[in-house]
């Protein structure tokens, strides 16, 4: 991953073309779906390179969103962007309070039980519908033979502390699971 990739945050993805005038379906990963259009320019990876793209216009369509990029006037032009991720520079994201954080900040953090047992590092976050789940890759010398743990992200109940400075998450969790 290049240093430019590390400074980018994926906020959505382009879907299939819509109509014949260069529109594309948009899948937003932002909390409020329409917020994706507040970021400009979008960066879209084309042939392995991030390229800035401007949204000419957008609208709601049924339950989803569609957008017309300024570089696309025909369906055939828009097809090259199908399934492309939409990213923005991390510094464009709103600042958060000390108690708030972005999911991306959790990746790579150490996960330690309240008793001090090192469970490993966060490698992924799964959205399950009821609550999100941390995927924690266990250390090579895990005493319980675990390779990976799935820990529910239940604030206060399981997740006791997130320490940005120490890059550490403290959890109330049995290391045998």
């Amino acid at each position: 991953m290049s240093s430019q990739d590390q400074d980018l945050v994926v906020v959505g993805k382009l879907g299939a073309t819509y109509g014949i005038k260069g529109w594309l379906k948009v899948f937003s990963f932002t909390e409020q779906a329409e917020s994706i259009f507040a970021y400009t320019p979008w960066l879209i990876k084309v042939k392995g390179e991030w390229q800035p793209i401007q949204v000419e216009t957008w609208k709601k369509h049924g339950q989803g969103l569609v957008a017309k990029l300024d570089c696309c006037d025909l369906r055939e032009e828009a097809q090259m962007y199908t399934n492309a991720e939409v990213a923005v520079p991390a510094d464009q994201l709103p600042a958060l309070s000390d108690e708030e954080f972005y999911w991306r900040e959790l990746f790579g953090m150490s996960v330690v039980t309240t008793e001090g047992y090192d469970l490993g590092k966060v490698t992924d976050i799964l959205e399950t519908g009821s609550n999100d789940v941390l995927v924690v890759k266990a250390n090579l010398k895990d005493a319980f033979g675990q390779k990976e743990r799935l820990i529910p992200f239940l604030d206060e109940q399981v997740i006791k502390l997130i320490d940005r400075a120490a890059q550490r998450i403290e959890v109330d969790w049995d290391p045998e699971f």
Side-chain angles (χ1 to χ4, degrees), residues 4-156:
Q4 183 189 15
D5 284 357
Q6 292 173 355
D7 296 338
L8 299 178
V9 177
V10 174
V11 293
K13 185 174 181 175
L14 296 174
T17 55
Y18 169 76
I20 60 170
K21 297 188 178 185
W23 288 71
L24 289 152
K25 293 180 181 177
V26 177
F27 301 99
S28 175
F29 303 157
T30 57
E31 192 170 355
Q32 303 293 323
E34 295 89 1
S35 298
I36 192 170
F37 299 109
Y39 302 109
T40 184
W42 283 357
L43 295 165
I44 298 177
K45 195 174 263 189
V46 179
K47 296 179 184 165
E49 296 291 321
W50 289 106
Q51 298 179 4
I53 300 284
Q54 293 290 342
V55 174
E56 185 177 301
T57 188
W58 67 274
K59 64 183 178 182
K60 289 184 180 183
H61 177 69
Q63 297 294 320
L65 301 167
V66 293
K68 182 174 178 323
L69 306 179
D70 67 354
C71 56
C72 301
D73 291 319
L74 302 170
R75 178 186 194 95
E76 295 74 24
E77 293 169 334
Q79 283 176 330
M80 73 178 285
Y81 299 105
T82 297
N83 295 323
E85 290 183 322
V86 176
V88 298
D91 59 11
Q92 280 193 27
L93 297 175
L96 300 176
S97 73
D98 290 341
E99 295 82 37
E100 297 176 307
F101 51 87
Y102 289 107
W103 280 142
R104 66 183 181 84
E105 294 178 79
L106 302 181
F107 289 92
M109 282 192 179
S110 294
V111 180
V112 181
T113 68
T114 51
E115 288 79 34
Y117 187 84
D118 186 354
L119 297 172
K121 295 193 181 295
V122 176
T123 58
D124 202 358
I125 298 173
L126 305 175
E127 294 181 40
T128 65
S130 57
N131 57 270
D132 295 324
V133 175
L134 296 178
V135 178
V136 179
K137 183 176 183 193
N139 297 312
L140 293 175
K141 301 176 194 169
D142 188 81
F144 299 96
Q146 299 289 337
K147 291 186 175 12
E148 182 178 87
R149 288 181 176 86
L150 301 177
I151 301 175
F153 195 92
L154 299 171
D155 201 22
E156 296 179 16

